[in-house]
Amino acid sequence: QVQRSRVTVDVLREKMREAADLRVELDRLNEEASRKDEEVRKAETEAEEERKETEKLKGEKILLEGKVKRLEESLQYERDRVETAKANENKARSQADRLRSRLAGRLGGEAEERAEGEDEDMEGQGGAAGEKRKAPSSPLVP
């Protein structure tokens, strides 16, 4: 029976050593699990920050796209204004050229009439040695 008791004590000691080893292993695993939990929390926090930053950047992108669109519209408006101004300028030049031509035609016609009138006056007076005065060959252009 003493020998049985010794065997039982030896078995118990062995079991106690195994239990102590298991407690050490359990503590190590708990520490590792805590580290992993902390890493997961940190990764979740970083992911949340990344998500917020992404949302912020998406908002900024939308604002910038709106600004670009307004600038493009403004640029097109200015281009249209320049085109209209050029067309109006060309139209005004054309109109001015037509008016100049008409005026030159009238002035030329008046000059011819005056010259003819002077010729008639000179003929009526006998003229200077019988010479006639010629009308200008081209109208005056202002």
Side-chain angles (χ1 to χ4, degrees):
Q1 196 167 13
V2 173
Q3 196 171 18
R4 245 181 175 185
S5 295
R6 283 187 189 169
V7 170
T8 305
V9 169
D10 288 341
V11 169
L12 286 174
R13 284 185 185 153
E14 184 62 31
K15 296 289 181 188
M16 288 174 71
R17 269 189 243 120
E18 285 178 17
D21 289 345
L22 289 174
R23 270 192 229 102
V24 169
E25 181 67 16
L26 180 62
D27 288 345
R28 187 187 66 75
L29 290 173
N30 280 334
E31 286 177 20
E32 188 176 327
S34 292
R35 278 195 305 275
K36 295 287 182 184
D37 285 344
E38 184 60 33
E39 288 175 12
V40 167
R41 279 192 292 276
K42 190 175 182 180
E44 287 173 345
T45 301
E46 288 175 4
E48 181 64 20
E49 289 173 3
E50 289 285 329
R51 188 193 62 75
K52 286 179 183 177
E53 182 68 20
T54 300
E55 289 300 316
K56 179 182 171 188
L57 291 174
K58 284 180 183 177
E60 288 177 8
K61 178 185 173 197
I62 290 169
L63 291 175
L64 289 174
E65 286 172 342
K67 281 184 180 180
V68 166
K69 185 176 180 180
R70 285 190 299 278
L71 286 172
E72 286 173 343
E73 288 170 353
S74 177
L75 179 62
Q76 187 59 46
Y77 173 77
E78 291 301 322
R79 284 180 178 156
D80 291 347
R81 279 187 53 210
V82 167
E83 241 180 80
T84 301
K86 283 181 182 178
N88 288 341
E89 183 180 358
N90 288 339
K91 185 177 176 182
R93 280 189 181 148
S94 224
Q95 197 172 17
D97 289 345
R98 283 193 306 272
L99 288 173
R100 276 191 206 102
S101 293
R102 285 176 53 195
L103 182 59
R106 283 186 185 168
L107 289 176
E110 288 174 10
E112 283 179 29
E113 288 174 14
R114 264 189 267 124
E116 287 174 8
E118 287 175 6
D119 286 345
E120 289 172 7
D121 285 348
M122 293 199 77
E123 284 176 12
Q125 295 174 0
E131 292 178 10
K132 286 190 176 180
R133 205 167 191 200
K134 289 186 179 179
S137 60
S138 63
L140 300 174
V141 179

